[in-house]
C-alpha cells in the first residue's frame, strides 16, 4: 500500500492517512510540559485543568499514536499476505474464495479504522500542544473536561455531537 488514503468524515473535514502523520510533541508549543493548564477551557462548574491531568492526557494520546501505528503496520502486513495468498487460488472452491475475500475485507476495514483513529489522535495531540483543544469546533464553547478525559479526541461538545448524530 504505497498510496496515501484520504477520507472525508461526517464533519466535512479531511483526515490524512498515517503516511502524513504529525509526530508527537511537534505542536506549536512542543509537548505536555509547555501546555499551560490554565489556558485549557472548562465548562461552568468544572474544576480547572491541572498540570498532572494535562500530562496524563498527553501521555495517553502519545501512547495511542504508537499503538495505532503498530496496528496499522500489522494490518498492512496481513493485507499484503492475504493479497499474496489470493493469487494462489489453484484448487480453491467457492467457499475458499469467499473466505479469503471476507478475511481480506475484514483486514482492510480494521486498517482503515485504525488510520481514521490515528488521524483523530494526531489532530487531538496537535490541538493540545497548539491551540483549540477543548473548544467545540461547531459552536466554540468548551467541550468539557470530563468528556475530554473520557475521550481525548472529542472535537464537539455533547449538544453539538447529539445534533450531528440526529442528522
Amino acid at each position: 500500500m504505497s498510496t496515501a488514503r484520504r477520507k472525508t468524515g461526517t464533519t466535512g473535514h479531511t483526515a490524512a492517512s498515517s503516511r502524513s502523520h504529525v509526530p508527537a510533541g511537534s505542536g506549536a508549543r512542543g509537548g505536555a510540559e509547555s501546555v499551560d493548564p490554565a489556558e485549557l477551557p472548562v465548562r461552568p462548574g468544572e474544576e480547572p485543568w491541572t498540570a498532572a491531568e494535562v500530562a496524563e492526557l498527553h501521555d495517553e494520546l502519545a501512547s495511542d499514536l504508537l499503538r495505532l501505528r503498530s496496528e496499522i503496520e500489522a494490518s498492512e502486513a496481513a493485507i499484503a499476505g492475504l493479497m499474496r495468498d489470493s493469487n494462489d487460488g489453484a484448487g480453491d472452491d467457492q467457499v475458499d474464495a469467499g473466505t479469503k475475500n471476507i478475511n481480506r475485507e475484514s483486514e482492510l476495514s480494521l486498517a482503515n479504522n485504525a488510520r481514521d483513529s490515528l488521524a483523530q489522535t494526531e489532530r487531538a495531540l496537535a490541538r493540545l500542544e497548539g491551540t483549540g483543544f477543548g473548544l467545540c469546533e461547531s459552536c466554540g464553547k468548551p467541550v468539557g473536561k470530563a468528556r475530554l478525559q473520557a475521550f481525548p479526541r472529542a472535537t464537539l461538545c455533547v449538544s453539538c455531537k447529539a445534533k450531528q448524530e440526529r442528522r
Side-chain angles (χ1 to χ4, degrees):
M1 297 197 120
S2 61
T3 60
R5 184 186 67 79
R6 300 185 70 74
K7 179 177 179 189
T8 303
T10 57
T11 60
H13 298 288
T14 303
S17 74
S18 63
R19 304 274 185 227
S20 60
H21 67 273
V22 177
S26 66
R29 292 185 263 183
E33 61 279 347
S34 60
V35 176
D36 182 7
E39 291 180 13
L40 296 178
V42 292
R43 294 175 59 186
E46 287 183 328
E47 293 291 321
W49 287 90
T50 65
E53 291 168 334
V54 172
E56 182 180 336
L57 198 64
H58 188 276
D59 291 347
E60 180 182 344
L61 288 168
S63 68
D64 282 351
L65 283 178
L66 297 175
R67 178 185 54 80
L68 290 165
R69 287 179 183 143
S70 174
E71 283 180 21
I72 291 168
E73 287 177 18
S75 288
E76 287 176 348
I79 290 167
L82 290 169
M83 297 300 270
R84 189 174 44 252
D85 292 345
S86 70
N87 292 334
D88 183 30
D92 285 353
D93 61 11
Q94 289 179 336
V95 174
D96 292 334
T99 300
K100 286 181 180 180
N101 284 337
I102 290 171
N103 288 340
R104 190 171 41 250
E105 290 297 321
S106 174
E107 201 60 48
L108 285 168
S109 178
L110 289 172
N112 287 337
N113 288 341
R115 284 187 193 99
D116 290 343
S117 292
L118 178 65
Q120 289 174 0
T121 303
E122 288 170 339
R123 189 159 176 250
L125 192 57
R127 285 173 50 127
L128 177 62
E129 294 173 353
T131 60
F133 186 81
L135 290 176
C136 179
E137 290 183 342
S138 180
C139 68
K141 294 179 182 173
V143 170
K145 182 179 171 182
R147 178 166 168 73
L148 289 169
Q149 287 175 322
F151 186 67
R153 296 182 298 270
T155 58
L156 299 174
C157 66
V158 174
S159 61
C160 289
K161 183 66 176 173
K163 287 177 193 173
Q164 180 193 52
E165 289 178 351
R166 281 192 295 261
R167 292 184 197 147

